[in-house]
Amino acid sequence: MISQKLPKIWYGGDYNPEQWHEEVWNEDVRMFKIAGIDVATLNVFAWARNQPDENTYDFSGLDATIDRLYKNGIYTCLGTSTAAHPAWMAKKYPDVLRVDYNGRKRKFGGRHNSCPNSPTFRKYSERMAEKLAERYKDHPAVLVWHVNNEYGGYCYCENCADSFRNWLKETYQSIEAVNKSWNTAFWGHTFYDWDEIVPPNVLSEEWDGNRTNFQGISLDYRRFQSDRLLECFKLERDAIRKHTPDIPITTNLMGLYPELDYFKWGKEMDVVSWDNYPSIDTPISMTAMTHDLMRALKSGKPFMLMEQTPSQQNWQAYNSLKRPGVMRLWSYQAVSRGADTVLFFQLRRSIGATEKFHGAVIEHVGHEHTRVFRETATLGRELAELSDHIIDAQVNAKVAIVFDWENRWGIDLTSGPSVALDYVKEVHKYYDALYQQNIQVDMIGIDEDLSNYDLVIAPVLYMVKGDYHKKLEKFVADGGTFVTTFFSGIVDEHDLVTTGGYPGKLRNLLGIWSEEIDALHPDVYNQIVIKDKITHLEGEYQCNILFDLIHSEGAEVVAEYGDDFYKGMPAVTRNTFGSGEAWYIASSPDSAFLQDLMADLCAAKEIKPLLTSEPGVEVSQRVKEGQEYLFVMNHNNKTSQFELGNEQKRDLLTGETVNGTISIAAHDVMILTDQ
Amino acid sequence: MISQKLPKIWYGGDYNPEQWHEEVWNEDVRMFKIAGIDVATLNVFAWARNQPDENTYDFSGLDATIDRLYKNGIYTCLGTSTAAHPAWMAKKYPDVLRVDYNGRKRKFGGRHNSCPNSPTFRKYSERMAEKLAERYKDHPAVLVWHVNNEYGGYCYCENCADSFRNWLKETYQSIEAVNKSWNTAFWGHTFYDWDEIVPPNVLSEEWDGNRTNFQGISLDYRRFQSDRLLECFKLERDAIRKHTPDIPITTNLMGLYPELDYFKWGKEMDVVSWDNYPSIDTPISMTAMTHDLMRALKSGKPFMLMEQTPSQQNWQAYNSLKRPGVMRLWSYQAVSRGADTVLFFQLRRSIGATEKFHGAVIEHVGHEHTRVFRETATLGRELAELSDHIIDAQVNAKVAIVFDWENRWGIDLTSGPSVALDYVKEVHKYYDALYQQNIQVDMIGIDEDLSNYDLVIAPVLYMVKGDYHKKLEKFVADGGTFVTTFFSGIVDEHDLVTTGGYPGKLRNLLGIWSEEIDALHPDVYNQIVIKDKITHLEGEYQCNILFDLIHSEGAEVVAEYGDDFYKGMPAVTRNTFGSGEAWYIASSPDSAFLQDLMADLCAAKEIKPLLTSEPGVEVSQRVKEGQEYLFVMNHNNKTSQFELGNEQKRDLLTGETVNGTISIAAHDVMILTDQ
Amino acid sequence: MISQKLPKIWYGGDYNPEQWHEEVWNEDVRMFKIAGIDVATLNVFAWARNQPDENTYDFSGLDATIDRLYKNGIYTCLGTSTAAHPAWMAKKYPDVLRVDYNGRKRKFGGRHNSCPNSPTFRKYSERMAEKLAERYKDHPAVLVWHVNNEYGGYCYCENCADSFRNWLKETYQSIEAVNKSWNTAFWGHTFYDWDEIVPPNVLSEEWDGNRTNFQGISLDYRRFQSDRLLECFKLERDAIRKHTPDIPITTNLMGLYPELDYFKWGKEMDVVSWDNYPSIDTPISMTAMTHDLMRALKSGKPFMLMEQTPSQQNWQAYNSLKRPGVMRLWSYQAVSRGADTVLFFQLRRSIGATEKFHGAVIEHVGHEHTRVFRETATLGRELAELSDHIIDAQVNAKVAIVFDWENRWGIDLTSGPSVALDYVKEVHKYYDALYQQNIQVDMIGIDEDLSNYDLVIAPVLYMVKGDYHKKLEKFVADGGTFVTTFFSGIVDEHDLVTTGGYPGKLRNLLGIWSEEIDALHPDVYNQIVIKDKITHLEGEYQCNILFDLIHSEGAEVVAEYGDDFYKGMPAVTRNTFGSGEAWYIASSPDSAFLQDLMADLCAAKEIKPLLTSEPGVEVSQRVKEGQEYLFVMNHNNKTSQFELGNEQKRDLLTGETVNGTISIAAHDVMILTDQ
């Protein structure tokens, strides 16, 4: 568990008492108790208060808050306050200010605003972390360290340019190796000296965020910035760890955030935490996938839900309220997929600045007689009762979907074949097909051991790095089923094409050659025509976006295209390889195809759904010491059904015993066990 | 009246003879006489000609023009020529050049291009005004001073930054007060020194024009820029006033222009003037509302229509011609709502640069045998005959709608709850409901005395400044009817939320508590279900955008929501308060609801329509020495009807006597009196 | 012919062996031979390789490539390598870097990246051209010089500002003349010193690419940049010509590219070449028109198709494959309209950077067993057989359409009357009406002799420069038929309106006066109502965008408007002038009208279609020594018909003899002669 000090599902959230005064503080504590809140995240944006000038540190306010809360049974998730530099620092040391993508030197403003290569930022953020660690190392309230906040944003300043050149020297050793890796002979961009290299942005090689003339430099710049921001985290982490080696350290991530290679970050964190802010149109299975992805960063270890809103957000276009029950429902969704905390942003609403219309446990009215507070208090009581069952429970899956940030960057940066290709959406299509059938999935990185899985799916594995193909070959040879898609095996880790025929290094495993890749407007569909019915796969399906024109080189042709000049060419192939098989899906299919494909592949591997439910009823399971906890969550606005069969189960939340066909109310949750 | 020198409705417009030569000048005068033109606006953009270098002034051209026109019976509206600085000044004194929202130092170009805090601009614009005043103070041709032109545009240069800090010091006295007002504890933006504060733009706190991290600084920057531009006006005004204390001074405003707080500006002007350029899709009632708003800037005093096009504009996407009769129709619309001048941009079309496709009285063909000229000349004759009736006549209204630029800025800058909320559109919805029923309305600022009104409407009164709620309470206690809406009473003048429950300071007056604010896509509608029929209000109406979830605390529930989880909660309430009543409309209603609501509220106060007419027939009334002038204006493309009943009226334009059901031709106008 | 060294249609394309190694080079040669490739374009982007530092030149790689290819029968189209400067040059001499439209100094990156006024660029590009010419002047492989690549892009740096002032001094002699030409009296922009003038971009007079406050300066800046880029071409050309006076020199143009006045460029090139990259939605007749326009740059001389893709592009949104047969079909389209080469970008696909998903003759798979390669090889064989028939053949037309870049700039820069007006689309409407009827057209510049034509069409001849109207008057007086449209004759070469009534200088020729110009949303249509049926013209047609309100001053009214307040006013007029007639089309008509109009006008002049075919079957003809070669090209996806009548023709591609009604397969081509 994250900390023995508080062996339950932590409940609470961000708390900013520096925006308030003493009377309010007392009301806060009174209401926190009513709501069952036992953790407060403090000090996230307090750098300017903690360090009013270069030489002065003042933690008196923080001391008082930690003490006051602890006296009232509330622990601290302790921020390091470095997520926004003080105004005096920006004035005195402009190197902390970033240069933006358009090449403009920024002035003081916003947050997440420090250049990751700024000597000033590095020096003072590390020093701040150390001072906090020294001061609070023995305080019993401190449960976990929360370094900085939502790291992100790139910088293009001269310090970054220099640091980039150093990063390249470390990575490539020679300028010749850089030229080769970036294929600079193209358009005569050959570099003869490291100093000729400039960061890729609107002033040099890029435009529109992800468009670039040279994929190589743009890819490396993303690696470099992700690494340098990670170094900033590590500087603070190591300063803390010296003093409190036993208190876990995290920083809050942002799910599918594109700019950081979170698999690298997960390795450096003691516990993963993240902030869950779905939009009004985010599919619920996309949120589930993101929880699974965050769990993957430390290979399945439980994680922290660091932030969610109790009611509404403020920065969306239309900030709808979470309907009654939905805050609880989505909290359990997180728990069901590995979260051992339920924390909110924030505990009391600000009265000024950009987030004053972001929901909070304590709203502007200031009392507890609100719908939002009542729902929060109800959940607090439930979680207190549940905790010893759930914490540290694992999620077990036999199906894995590969997700890789560098592959994503490679696809995003590509010029051609189609702007309609979206890596995250393609991955989610496969995830959703399994989700709809209540089949538990692990999202995995490319470093993950495959031997625990029966089925591994790698949608649009455009970039095959190093010997990853050999790992896949071994997995299949040993009996596993592997699925990949169109536009896979195209390039290596430098975004250089593997010549000799697509899908490059995967060609042997898949038993096919992809001769051409057609791209049509996404409104134009072709058909996937199944040749011989399997169990679910039968008849015709639709596909669009990209169309690989493939030839079998040994693979069985499972389906053909139904239209266009490549009608009759393979659209789906299956290649027997050792004891397993490798599938290739040559275009982007509709959900009917993917659900039927997944049903057939899982059936072949005897991977069973957790149970059968109506659409909109989500099921996920955690397991602890052999005991299974089956979470059933109804996202529908109406009562819905699912099937338990004859098995007798107990609902942890109500204590009732159930079997057969079960009704679950709109937005309700059940946690079923055999006990 | 504006000036005793010319006691009639002035007729004319901008005239730029410096672009032409003598033969043309003579033709101009000949045609001006045919058209009945008696006022020319001169010298608006002639700085470079008047002052060819730093030490030389040359007004010989202007002298000649003023004299030539005056000899031919044409008076001068005399511009100060400072709306575009000379190129030599930009070259020699770059401080006159602005830094734009993106942080870029501009070069010479455009107009309205001077930094309002530039010492050079202030020095030389004031000096120019003074020189003009000295030179022409005794010239009988000068009717009115036209300072600069269409002030607007913000600057973000270092001079502005310094000046902003001074403005803040004057406003707040201490840096602690600034921190409190802007809630800088949020995100740790605490300032310890004035010099740490930088202007809010893309390089610091803002983006996309109206998006900001800190509403406080952004709101104050708008106040600051509006004030500093107003100072520029006052510098010129005072320099002139020393020499010509009896000649009125104006500058032409731009109606609903967002950047300047025109109520502050109106107080400094002797007479309000404005430029009316509706788009192809501007509702005609929006133009009417804007005239009423411009009249409000000096509490009902007649104003000047300084610019309109006789035919087409050039800077819209599709610059349609004004259909036959429409120029006359819209001119009378202005007059009917308080304009005592009808002026055009411009009298003769330029042959080069950006406005050469903007219509003019004299078109490129150069003679008077055009549709546009004929219509101009016809109107000129009419206005000459009408003048002694109309000038100085008042518009009287018992209904007032509150409009406030700072409230507008607050709403525009808000992050959440919905990007679909548009203050001007919400205000216009209420205005239009009254307009459609021919009920005269005053648009008023928050300083206006309320005691003359029976009904005061303040749509989306998000920001309640100072004790404005007490003024409203007194108005209602004394018997008035007050209407406000969702998202009102939220913040004070610093955009800081009034805690203790929405609608904040208005809660007592309204007798309700708004617990939550839902925001949905504007395509999603709820229903307003009337509980007990009043007279017009009955059954169900639609509403959208925002939905306040309110509880009555004494107010009568007039209507409830018909859908969603807040079905049955109050949607419309009426609170008896002293001798009056205060209404709350909890969502944004359809026009049917608003027309019925206004009909009921006006009936209760015995406020009667000016008369009954078909849709598209506008009615407005001016009153002078007890005599009523009823303007009836048919905006339809077909003959339409209105009802006079038994009352006998005379049409000033035709001299005919009418009563009963009257037909009015497409685009025609009648001015009816009892005489 | 372009060069006696290779008297056939050249076949090949861009080749970049510097991105590969020796084994690949050998494979390349083997496959080039299979494909019939006899020309390789070399050295286009090799500046950094050729000149690794300021003082070192190394052509050893290029020597080897030219020799190796030549030994294998492949000639060289020799690039000068200056289309992208080396990184070391950008580092050492930042004056080579451009300042962009937004005023930002660029850093190293991209291509076509050199400031045209950079002393460094001019010095080293000229020197490079000279060194190449000296080195290869006697090499038998060199067929043609290819200077730079796709010139384009403007710069706004201080060197450009100075050079612009010099260009203005040369052009205008005096600052007074500049002021007059730009009408700077408008908005008081009078310049008293050359140094006050700054380039027009976002920081001064322009925004959004083509929006400007002063059309005069913006128009001149386009002329200036086009001229200075042309000087860069001429510097290299002249350096080469000294050494190889007999080898033709070209640079590859880009069809309808807006930034350069290609008629000026054509005059300086020995042979025109261009790159044909239609989008997925480019009408096939737009491509035909562009070929005809490129042929026009040297008054009908055969041109080079310098680049096209054999399969797909990479920089479109959706990069579809060219369907089977389409690459051949479009290659013949080019040949049929005057191309004497068929060249590809590129011969072997890059493995890295932005064009790796751009098709090539040799794909990433690296062998010849691909659809693309097979189609390429088939075409190579055909072209080898065809060549002595086709090369140097002329395209003869009796109909000309006027196209003028300065007129286009003038229209693009205009503020008003409608953003929907698109010069290229209006021109294409007229072209397409003729194309659909298989009537051969010449696109001509305004310097072209008109005496060879019977029908001259000048759509939207907004800008009438100098005495061009006299040339048109003579053409008509001598018996020609002239057609022009709404919004013609408005301004002179300085974008200054010709006063006295539109269409200005054309008024006498057309016998009309255009009083007003209405602009409506392009979704709003009026009708063209024909008064008396001609042969095809009859009944009603639709028109939109702009509507000139014209009066006949002698012209016959052929059609009237059917709607709006100008119903019954002339919509189409015909004026007899000398022995010919001049037509005015007062609005933008639908294609039915234009086809009927063209049919009537051609019939009157006895201009006959080349033959009659189904829609989608394109016909074009080249003539050599009296022998006609009729290209019939089926762009449909199905077999289609055309009519030969009794005439017996031989298909050069199959050798078969045909007559009567002929079927042509989908995407097939026939070349019919009398032989």
Side-chain angles (χ1 to χ4, degrees), chain B residues 32 45 54 212 291 305 382 396 529:
Chain B
F32 292 168
F45 286 108
E54 192 167 3
T212 181
H291 283 304
L305 177 64
E382 279 185 8
N396 298 325
V529 183

Side-chain angles (χ1 to χ4, degrees), chain B residues 59 92 133 151 193 210 230 252 454 489 518 526 560 598 671:
Chain B
F59 297 104
K92 189 163 187 185
Y151 276 103
D193 190 276
N210 271 329
L230 181 55
N252 51 338
D454 292 328
D518 198 19
N526 207 313
E560 301 171 344
M598 290 302 132
I671 307 177

Side-chain angles (χ1 to χ4, degrees), chain C residues 651-666:
Chain C
D651 180 359
L652 277 191
L653 294 170
T654 61
E656 287 177 22
T657 301
V658 293
N659 68 348
T661 301
I662 317 288
S663 284
I664 179 168

Side-chain angles (χ1 to χ4, degrees), chain A residues 189 192 415 495 502 515 518, chain C residues 48 110 314 323 356 364 371:
Chain A
H189 278 212
Y192 291 102
S415 174
D495 202 65
Y502 314 136
E515 181 180 343
D518 197 20
Chain C
N314 68 286
R323 273 42 205 159
K356 64 180 173 295
H364 286 142
R371 177 181 76 93

